[in-house]
């Protein structure tokens, strides 16, 4: 589409058309034309008439659309120039997106992938991030509404096909797009509303590169009747009536009517142009077309070589970049290894210092252990000597124990003997008291008689004095025995205290030996021996004390 703000009054349609073709560098001009809008329909600018003599809008500026008027049967064979391919690609793409050409969802996604390849080149995941197609219109609205899919899901499907087109150039991608599009049913077809007779239902007439087709109004895909260009003898119109005469005279002539005369003129114009191109394709190419094809072939070869060179350079650049990345990675790896080696060296130096320090400490500990071993050896020798002394002391203690036991036995025997003597003394004392009581009784009886006092008293007094002297003597003997026993008991208590002191000193020494030499088994033996001696001495002490208190009670009772 372009605007013409000014042009010469005498310009014909060809002058304006040639200006546009020269501007875009187009040589395959027979496919294109300038279209403009007239009331509720469109028309093509005629090249042999002046522009202002045609029914162009009188607005300023005048709006024209530079579009493909006729379509090739096989795009890969007929479209020579790259600009021609590009213009067809843009027009067909717009017709598909505007739903002027019906396209299935699968074909729409595939066509969109080629359109993306033509626009963006090869897919690069580092550059083409998710969302890079958000601003591009690639699918018809009908397809988008047909499925409940988000824009990201459609982009993912398109990108999956797009990634497979790697290495395809822009012109090749556009050609692949057109090759797929030309197989669509509505590709290159111009539709017009017609009626077969004035009272019949509406029909559609389709004009394309193959011929004329008749469609029902609600089905533009499958024609109900077709008239190929090779089977048409003549086409004519009279006002609103249009006539198609088949080449086979046996077939009926097909007539239809259009709503306007302008439409019949447009139909006839398209029929003539498509028929001329149909006949032209089946003839030898003109010199101009041959030159164009040769130039296009050379251009394609040159571009192919350039693409190959570019591909090699790109490959070499990628290899160089990979090599650079590998070298950088290797450099980083070597730097990391060097850093790790330095750290390992530092750690080894620290470890060496630590080991040296530990060796010094170990040496000091070895000296200390040797010193402790010498002290332990001295302690062992001392403990052996102590053990020998302990054995000697044990022997002496056993001897003292035997002596103490013998002494205890003697004390028990003496206590028994003293007990017997005390019993005898008690009995003598009782007899003496009885005799005294009887003597006193007799004395009283004598004093009451008529005998002289001196005569009766002297024998009684003599008898009484005799008894008192015996009692005194007996008391003195008992006191002497008691004093002797107390002296012996005191001596025995002193010996028991001395023995207890020795036992406690032995127990204290054994406890010190237990703290200093727990590793020697002699400690257990000495402790058992000490406990045995302690228990024996406690028993002897208890027996001696019992004897002492018994004798003390026994001898104090008569005295009291």
């Amino acid at each position: 589409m372009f605007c013409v703000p000014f042009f010469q009054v005498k310009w014909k349609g060809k002058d304006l058309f040639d200006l546009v073709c020269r501007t875009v560098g187009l040589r395959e001009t027979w496919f294109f034309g300038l279209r403009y809008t007239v009331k509720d329909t469109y028309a093509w600018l005629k090249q042999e008439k002046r522009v202002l003599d045609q029914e162009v809008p009188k607005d300023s500026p005048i709006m024209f659309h530079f579009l493909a008027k006729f379509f090739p049967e096989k795009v890969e064979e007929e479209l020579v120039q790259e600009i021609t391919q590009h213009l067809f690609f843009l027009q067909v793409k717009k017709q598909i997106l505007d739903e002027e050409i019906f396209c299935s969802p699968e074909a729409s996604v595939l066509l969109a992938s080629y359109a993306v390849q033509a626009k963006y080149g090869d897919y690069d995941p580092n550059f083409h991030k998710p969302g890079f197609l958000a601003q591009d219109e690639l699918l018809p609205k009908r397809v988008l509404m047909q499925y409940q899919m988000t824009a990201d899901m459609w982009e993912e499907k398109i990108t999956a096909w797009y990634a497979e087109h790697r290495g395809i150039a822009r012109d090749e991608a556009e050609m692949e797009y057109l090759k797929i599009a030309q197989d669509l049913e509505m590709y290159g077809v111009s539709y017009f509303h017609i009626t077969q007779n004035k009272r019949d239902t509406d029909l559609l007439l389709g004009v394309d590169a193959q011929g004329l087709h008749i469609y029902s109004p609600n089905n533009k895909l499958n024609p109900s009747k077709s008239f190929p260009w090779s089977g048409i003898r003549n086409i004519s119109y009279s006002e609103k009536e249009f006539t198609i005469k088949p080449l086979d005279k046996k077939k009926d002539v097909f007539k239809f009517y259009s709503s306007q005369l302008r439409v019949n003129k447009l139909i006839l114009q398209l029929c003539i142009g498509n028929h001329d191109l149909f006949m032209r394709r089946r003839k030898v190419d003109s010199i101009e077309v041959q030159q164009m094809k040769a130039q296009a072939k050379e251009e394609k070869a040159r571009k192919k070589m350039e693409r190959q060179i570019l591909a090699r350079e790109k490959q070499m650049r990628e290899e160089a970049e990979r090599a650079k990345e590998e070298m950088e990675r290797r450099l980083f790896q070597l730097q990391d290894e060097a850093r790790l080696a330095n750290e390992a060296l530092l750690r080894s130096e620290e470890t060496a210092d630590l080991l040296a320090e530990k060796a010094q400490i170990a040496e000091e500990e070895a000296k200390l252990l040797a010193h402790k071993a010498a002290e332990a050896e001295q302690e062992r020798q001392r403990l052996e000597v102590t053990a020998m002394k302990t054995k000697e002391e044990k022997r002496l203690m056993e001897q003292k124990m035997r002596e103490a036991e013998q002494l205890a036995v003697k004390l028990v025997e003496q206590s028994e003997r003293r007990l017997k003597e005390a019993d005898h003394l008690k009995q003598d004392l009782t007899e003496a008291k009885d005799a005294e009581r009887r003597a006193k009784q007799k004395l009283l009886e004598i004093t009451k008689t008529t005998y002289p006092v001196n005569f009766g008293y002297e024998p009684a007094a003599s008898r009484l004095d005799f008894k008192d002297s015996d009692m005194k003597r007996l008391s003195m003997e008992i006191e002497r025995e008691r004093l002797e026993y107390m002296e012996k008991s005191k001596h025995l208590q002193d010996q028991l205290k001395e023995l207890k002191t020795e036992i406690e000193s032995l127990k204290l020494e054994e406890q010190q030996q237990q703290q200093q030499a727990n590793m020697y088994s002699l400690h257990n033996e000495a402790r058992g021996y000490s406990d045995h001696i302690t228990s024996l001495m406690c028993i002897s002490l208890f027996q001696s004390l019992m004897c002492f208190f018994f004798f003390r009670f026994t001898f104090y009772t008569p005295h009291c």
Side-chain angles (χ1 to χ4, degrees):
M1 181 179 68
F2 66 96
C3 299
V4 183
F6 65 90
F7 56 89
Q8 297 181 7
V9 178
K10 296 182 180 180
W11 270 16
K12 294 183 179 181
K14 181 176 176 55
D15 297 330
L16 183 59
F17 181 75
D18 290 342
L19 176 63
V20 175
C21 291
R22 287 195 302 270
T23 303
V24 299
L26 180 66
R27 297 180 62 184
E28 296 175 280
T29 58
W30 49 87
F31 292 112
F32 298 90
L34 293 174
R35 196 177 77 175
Y36 59 92
T37 303
V38 181
K39 295 181 181 180
D40 57 347
T41 184
Y42 66 89
W44 293 93
L45 186 66
K46 296 178 182 178
Q47 297 187 11
E48 65 275 6
K49 293 180 64 176
R50 290 197 312 171
V51 175
L52 297 179
D53 293 342
Q54 303 183 41
E55 298 178 335
V56 297
K58 303 308 179 189
D59 301 335
S60 181
I62 303 173
M63 189 73 66
F64 290 98
H65 294 270
F66 185 77
L67 297 172
K69 185 177 181 180
F70 308 106
F71 288 80
E73 293 183 20
K74 295 182 180 181
V75 292
E76 67 271 17
E77 295 179 2
E78 298 183 43
L79 301 183
V80 179
Q81 282 188 296
E82 185 176 340
I83 182 62
T84 309
Q85 298 177 11
H86 184 62
L87 292 174
F88 268 98
F89 165 74
L90 294 177
Q91 181 172 338
V92 173
K93 177 185 174 184
K94 187 175 185 305
Q95 289 178 335
I96 291 176
L97 294 177
D98 293 342
E99 300 184 12
E100 295 177 8
I101 298 177
F102 177 81
C103 184
S104 64
E106 294 79 7
S108 298
V109 173
L110 181 58
L111 291 174
S113 66
Y114 280 111
V116 174
Q117 178 69 23
K119 182 177 180 179
Y120 293 101
D122 291 340
Y123 173 71
D124 186 0
N126 297 323
F127 179 74
H128 301 108
K129 302 293 183 180
F132 76 103
L133 299 178
Q135 303 300 324
D136 295 326
E137 186 180 3
L138 299 172
L139 297 173
K141 294 181 179 180
R142 174 184 53 78
V143 175
L144 295 175
M145 298 295 294
Q146 187 175 353
Y147 297 93
Q148 295 180 353
M149 295 176 61
T150 62
D152 294 336
M153 296 171 68
W154 284 114
E155 180 179 327
E156 184 179 355
K157 282 184 170 296
I158 294 172
T159 305
W161 283 100
Y162 168 43
E164 296 182 1
H165 303 330
R166 185 175 183 83
I168 299 179
R170 182 181 68 86
D171 56 336
E172 294 176 348
E174 293 177 350
M175 179 56 69
E176 292 296 328
Y177 189 101
L178 293 174
K179 286 166 67 175
I180 296 173
Q182 73 179 354
D183 294 332
L184 301 176
E185 289 81 358
M186 297 177 66
Y187 167 81
V189 181
S190 300
Y191 294 93
F192 301 94
H193 290 279
I194 62 171
T195 57
Q196 193 169 1
N197 52 59
K198 294 182 179 181
R199 289 177 297 181
D200 256 343
T201 57
D202 291 339
L203 297 175
L204 288 176
L205 173 68
V207 184
D208 64 4
Q210 302 291 333
L212 299 175
H213 310 280
I214 307 300
Y215 301 88
S216 60
N218 55 358
N219 186 3
K220 293 183 178 182
L221 301 179
N222 300 314
S224 59
K225 186 180 291 186
S226 296
F227 300 94
W229 297 122
S230 60
I232 298 176
R233 180 165 53 91
N234 187 22
I235 299 175
S236 62
Y237 75 94
S238 175
E239 294 183 357
K240 296 182 181 181
E241 184 184 52
F242 205 94
T243 304
I244 301 175
K245 295 180 180 180
L247 187 62
D248 189 359
K249 295 181 180 181
K250 295 180 180 180
K251 293 183 178 180
D252 296 333
V253 176
F254 184 79
K255 294 182 180 182
F256 59 88
Y257 298 89
S258 63
S259 60
Q260 298 177 7
L261 179 61
R262 186 185 301 109
V263 175
N264 280 343
K265 291 180 180 180
L266 180 58
I267 293 173
L268 182 61
Q269 185 181 2
L270 291 176
C271 289
I272 293 172
N274 278 295
H275 185 267
D276 290 343
L277 287 177
F278 177 80
M279 299 303 295
R280 182 178 178 177
R281 293 184 193 102
R282 282 146 184 84
K283 294 179 182 180
V284 179
D285 294 334
S286 62
I287 295 176
E288 182 184 3
V289 174
Q290 291 178 3
Q291 289 177 353
M292 288 173 55
K293 288 185 176 181
Q295 290 176 359
K297 187 176 181 180
E298 292 176 358
E299 185 70 14
K300 287 183 179 179
R302 182 182 63 80
K303 288 186 176 181
K304 184 177 180 181
M305 186 175 295
E306 289 178 355
R307 285 197 297 268
Q308 290 177 353
I309 295 173
L310 182 62
R312 285 197 299 270
E313 291 178 354
K314 185 177 180 181
Q315 183 179 1
M316 293 174 63
R317 184 172 66 252
E318 290 176 353
E319 291 177 354
E321 289 178 355
R322 285 196 297 270
K324 180 182 177 181
E325 292 176 356
E326 179 65 22
M327 292 179 66
E328 290 177 352
R329 186 187 63 80
R330 183 60 179 167
L331 178 61
F332 291 151
Q333 184 178 359
L334 291 175
Q335 289 177 353
D336 292 339
E337 291 178 356
R339 179 177 56 80
L340 294 175
N342 290 330
E343 293 177 356
L345 180 60
L346 292 175
R347 286 196 300 270
S348 63
E349 291 177 354
E350 293 176 357
T351 304
D353 295 339
L354 184 61
L355 290 176
E357 185 178 355
K358 287 184 177 180
Q360 184 178 359
I361 294 173
E363 185 177 357
E364 293 177 357
E365 289 179 352
K367 293 180 179 178
L368 182 60
L369 289 174
H371 180 65
K372 288 183 177 181
E375 291 181 352
E377 180 65 23
Q378 294 177 0
E379 183 67 17
R380 186 186 65 80
Q381 294 176 0
R382 188 183 66 78
L383 289 175
E384 288 180 354
V385 173
T386 303
M388 293 175 65
K389 291 180 178 179
T390 303
K391 290 180 179 180
E392 182 65 23
E393 290 175 354
K394 178 182 177 182
R395 186 182 62 78
L396 295 175
M397 289 298 298
E398 290 177 351
Q399 183 177 356
K400 289 181 179 181
M401 281 296 299
R402 287 194 297 271
E403 292 177 355
E405 289 176 356
Q406 293 175 1
L407 180 60
V409 170
K410 290 180 180 180
L411 289 174
V412 170
E413 292 177 353
Q414 289 179 3
S415 64
E416 291 177 353
R417 187 173 64 255
R418 296 297 181 182
L419 182 58
K420 292 178 179 180
E421 291 178 356
D423 291 337
H424 290 299
L425 290 174
K426 283 180 180 181
Q427 187 177 0
D428 294 340
L429 181 60
T430 302
E431 292 177 355
K433 286 182 178 182
D434 291 338
E436 182 181 3
R437 182 178 51 81
R438 286 191 303 268
K440 287 180 178 182
Q441 186 66 30
K442 287 180 178 182
L443 179 61
L444 290 175
E445 289 176 357
I446 293 173
T447 56
K448 290 179 180 181
T449 59
T450 56
Y451 297 100
V453 178
N454 291 333
F455 175 78
Y457 184 74
E458 289 179 1
S462 178
R463 180 68 175 173
L464 182 61
D465 291 338
F466 173 78
K467 292 295 182 180
D468 288 337
S469 61
D470 292 335
M471 288 297 295
K472 289 180 180 180
R473 180 180 55 79
L474 182 62
S475 297
M476 290 176 65
E477 290 180 0
I478 291 171
E479 184 66 21
R480 186 178 64 255
E481 292 292 336
R482 186 180 66 82
L483 292 175
E484 290 178 358
Y485 181 76
M486 288 179 66
E487 185 179 356
K488 291 180 180 180
S489 298
K490 185 178 180 181
H491 179 68
L492 179 61
Q493 288 179 0
D494 294 339
Q495 289 182 350
L496 290 174
K497 287 181 180 179
E498 182 181 356
L499 182 61
K500 185 177 180 181
T501 303
E502 291 179 0
I503 291 171
E504 288 179 354
S505 63
L506 287 174
K507 286 177 68 177
L508 181 62
E509 185 176 356
E510 287 174 1
Q511 289 177 359
Q512 293 177 355
Q513 290 178 1
Q514 179 181 1
Q515 293 176 358
Q516 295 176 357
N518 289 329
M519 73 288 290
Y520 298 104
S521 60
L522 182 60
H523 168 70
N524 294 328
E525 180 180 357
R527 186 175 64 180
Y529 175 70
S530 175
D531 292 340
H532 178 67
I533 292 175
T534 304
S535 60
L536 292 177
M537 292 302 297
C538 289
I539 293 170
S540 301
L541 179 61
F542 177 75
Q543 292 177 352
S544 301
L545 291 175
M546 289 297 294
C547 294
F548 170 74
F549 285 115
F550 177 75
F551 283 119
R552 182 176 181 181
F553 176 78
T554 303
F555 288 111
Y556 273 125
T557 300
H559 178 72
C560 293

